[in-house]
Amino acid sequence: MTINIPEPKYSEKHQDNEVILSVKGVSKKFCRSLKRSLFYGIHDIASELVGMREKCETLRNQEFWALKDVSFQLRRGEALGFVGKNGSGKTTLLRIIAGLIKPDTGCVEGKGRIAPLIALGAGFNPILTGRENIYTNMSILGLSKKEINQQFDAVVDFAEIGDAIDAPVKTYSSGMAARLGFASAIHTEPDILLIDEVLAVGDSRFRGKCFQKLHELRQKGTSFILVSHDAHLILTICESAVYLKQGEFVGQDDAAAVINLYERDLFLREAEIADQSISCLRKRENFGLEIQSIFFKNHQGEIIASPISGEQTYLCIKCRTNEKIDDVSITFAIKGLGDGGDIILLINNLKDKNYIFILPGENEIQLEMPYMGLKLGAYMMDVYIKKERLYHLDAIESFKFKVEGRDESISRCLFCQPRNWWIMHHGDSEDLSLKLNQYKN
């Protein structure tokens, strides 16, 4: 018996919810020169005071676009992620939404209270006590004194700073100040919460409490915008994401689809992969054996540019030698380009107790993987062929490839795990075993 329970897509889930934030054609430019920036700023302020400043879509000397024509919508109760490389304009856009800086063109239309979690504790006065800073900070975020009084005890309890509440903030550790800033912001009960790389406050237990509080706010209809370089965090929290590239809006889509596109752009170019799938990189001098090419094949024996996560795959080496070689040692060292270049998979036939010999002429060595276990993403592989363990024959370094997938949920995992689901029902009269849908791409 097969049971399929389709998960509702984001558009269906939120299509009836009201739009709580609209960003329309927002652009922002900055100047690389401090002196010119001051001059432009004074000129713009003076022009605005006399009512002569116009929206200018052209760049002046040494100016550049930090954001260019960005538009998207956020619905009530939605969690939206911003992804992009450093310098792509994510934090600038967040600051514009928070009202901290003005756009040069375009506008932001929001409903309700916006609480920015951009730099926790950055707005605290170090001379004032924690108590005084709570009142100051929460009043800036739009709460009245009566509302702050009602939330005060909850803020102190959540921040876990105890008797230090009446000590000057300058005596706090950075973690204490960050916890107090987080607690102050989330207890304003905002309609929109802006979160910029600040979910690493405190220890793991406190982070768990933060996520629990965010869940409670989400249940009450609070919308989130999350900026993070942690793709797993974006995929865990957000249904959709916005991709910014060098200040330009690339698109808004399901979070997994956006992360996949972002990681492809970040690590590899399509043309490079296509060339490398049938050829080699940075050949070393060989000693009796020459690697001619490295490529992948699918279960039908067809050469493919990119393996598919979860499907049967053959990793192939085409090589040539003039003599028979016994006890050949082949090593594949696969590194994740998104994981700092660390080795994530090391395969060697001798360690697997598989002994290989190569005959004179052309040979094709195949490593069969019944299921490609690597998740979607970009990888780099070093290949070494030796006689026994020491005698070097040939090697290929920095062979780049990407792993694709037919199921976007794979991108949320560290590897692909083929699986079956069963329900074991133990009733009064009989035992019933139901096999659910087998996981396939």
Side-chain angles (χ1 to χ4, degrees):
M1 180 177 179
T2 301
I3 301 176
N4 291 310
I5 306 175
E7 181 179 351
K9 292 187 177 294
Y10 165 77
S11 58
E12 299 171 350
K13 187 177 179 181
H14 291 278
Q15 62 183 358
D16 296 328
N17 291 358
E18 68 170 311
V19 175
I20 196 172
L21 177 72
S22 292
V23 175
K24 302 178 180 179
V26 166
S27 299
K28 182 64 181 177
K29 56 188 176 182
F30 293 115
C31 184
R32 301 186 189 280
S33 168
L34 177 60
K35 289 184 179 181
R36 284 190 176 273
S37 178
L38 293 173
F39 171 76
Y40 291 152
I42 294 172
H43 178 269
D44 292 342
I45 291 173
S47 299
E48 191 167 349
L49 287 175
V50 298
M52 297 179 60
R53 185 182 179 188
E54 298 180 354
K55 298 292 184 181
C56 182
E57 297 187 5
T58 60
L59 294 176
R60 295 171 288 193
N61 187 26
Q62 294 191 357
E63 285 187 328
F64 66 96
W65 290 112
L67 289 171
K68 183 64 174 175
D69 196 24
V70 176
S71 300
F72 67 90
Q73 291 183 335
L74 177 71
R75 299 180 182 277
R76 184 172 297 279
E78 178 187 356
L80 175 69
F82 285 174
V83 301
K85 294 196 298 185
N86 288 329
S88 62
K90 302 186 299 297
T91 299
T92 299
L93 181 55
L94 217 61
R95 291 179 183 275
I96 290 175
I97 295 171
L100 301 177
I101 56 178
K102 293 178 62 177
D104 288 301
T105 63
C107 64
V108 176
E109 298 176 354
K111 298 179 181 179
R113 179 180 294 140
I114 298 177
L117 294 177
I118 297 177
L120 294 179
F124 286 169
N125 188 324
I127 298 176
L128 299 180
T129 65
R131 182 186 300 273
E132 293 165 336
N133 272 292
I134 289 175
Y135 279 90
T136 302
N137 189 262
M138 296 182 75
S139 63
I140 292 174
L141 293 176
L143 269 69
S144 65
K145 185 176 181 180
K146 180 180 179 180
E147 291 174 322
I148 299 174
N149 288 336
Q150 293 173 346
Q151 295 286 350
F152 182 83
D153 291 339
V155 172
V156 176
D157 291 342
F158 192 93
E160 300 179 359
I161 58 176
D163 295 338
I165 189 63
D166 290 311
V169 167
K170 66 180 180 181
T171 64
Y172 288 10
S173 66
S174 58
M176 291 172 65
R179 294 202 305 270
L180 187 60
F182 187 91
S184 299
I186 62 176
H187 281 88
T188 60
E189 297 186 353
D191 295 281
I192 303 173
L193 192 60
L194 309 179
I195 308 171
D196 187 10
E197 300 282 5
V198 295
L199 289 179
V201 294
D203 54 26
S204 58
R205 185 193 61 81
F206 187 82
R207 288 197 298 273
K209 189 166 75 168
C210 292
F211 282 112
Q212 179 64 29
K213 183 63 178 179
L214 293 177
H215 172 74
E216 294 174 5
L217 291 174
R218 182 83 179 276
Q219 297 297 99
K220 295 178 181 178
T222 297
S223 302
F224 298 153
I225 295 181
L226 172 64
V227 174
S228 178
H229 288 283
D230 185 346
H232 182 71
L233 186 63
I234 294 286
L235 291 168
T236 300
I237 296 177
C238 304
E239 300 104 338
S240 63
V242 167
Y243 180 13
L244 297 176
K245 187 176 182 181
Q246 296 179 340
E248 296 187 359
F249 176 81
V250 177
Q252 179 180 4
D253 203 343
D254 175 80
V258 172
I259 290 294
N260 290 339
L261 176 61
Y262 166 59
E263 290 186 342
R264 281 200 298 268
D265 289 348
L266 185 61
F267 300 121
L268 291 175
R269 288 178 292 185
E270 298 291 335
E272 290 179 341
I273 300 172
D275 291 341
Q276 293 172 43
S277 64
I278 57 173
S279 62
C280 300
L281 301 175
R282 296 214 301 263
K283 287 295 301 290
R284 287 182 172 184
E285 181 182 1
N286 65 79
F287 298 90
L289 179 144
E290 180 184 6
I291 298 176
Q292 296 177 314
S293 61
I294 300 174
F295 51 92
F296 292 94
K297 286 184 177 181
N298 60 18
H299 67 284
Q300 296 176 335
E302 302 168 336
I303 295 178
I304 53 177
S306 303
I308 306 298
S309 186
E311 294 193 354
Q312 186 178 17
T313 304
Y314 294 86
L315 174 53
C316 306
I317 303 175
K318 191 175 182 180
C319 60
R320 172 176 287 276
T321 181
N322 295 323
E323 60 182 3
K324 180 182 178 182
I325 304 175
D326 294 315
D327 296 328
V328 175
S329 172
I330 303 174
T331 300
F332 297 104
I334 298 177
K335 309 169 187 178
L337 289 180
D339 301 311
D342 294 336
I343 294 177
I344 60 175
L345 182 60
L346 186 67
I347 300 174
N348 178 271
N349 64 292
L350 293 185
K351 292 184 178 179
D352 292 344
K353 300 188 184 304
N354 284 295
Y355 300 94
I356 294 175
F357 66 89
I358 297 177
L359 297 174
E362 190 174 277
N363 296 265
E364 182 178 309
I365 303 167
Q366 296 184 347
L367 172 66
E368 179 188 0
M369 292 173 279
Y371 298 96
M372 166 56 75
L374 297 175
K375 69 171 184 177
L376 281 66
Y379 298 89
M380 183 168 59
M381 178 170 61
D382 297 337
V383 181
Y384 302 97
I385 300 182
K386 300 178 182 180
K387 180 176 173 57
E388 297 176 342
R389 296 183 182 273
L390 297 177
Y391 187 81
H392 174 84
L393 293 172
D394 200 1
I396 297 295
E397 293 183 343
S398 302
F399 176 85
K400 294 178 183 177
F401 66 96
K402 68 176 179 179
V403 175
E404 296 181 342
R406 306 189 192 280
D407 188 338
E408 291 180 346
S409 66
I410 297 175
S411 63
R412 300 171 183 260
C413 309
L414 294 179
F415 60 93
C416 174
Q417 176 58 63
R419 51 200 178 264
N420 291 320
W421 295 87
W422 292 81
I423 296 178
M424 311 303 293
H425 175 70
H426 302 287
D428 296 333
S429 59
E430 61 177 352
D431 289 346
L432 180 62
S433 175
L434 296 179
K435 183 178 181 180
L436 305 186
N437 55 304
Q438 183 177 2
Y439 177 81
K440 292 182 179 179
N441 287 325

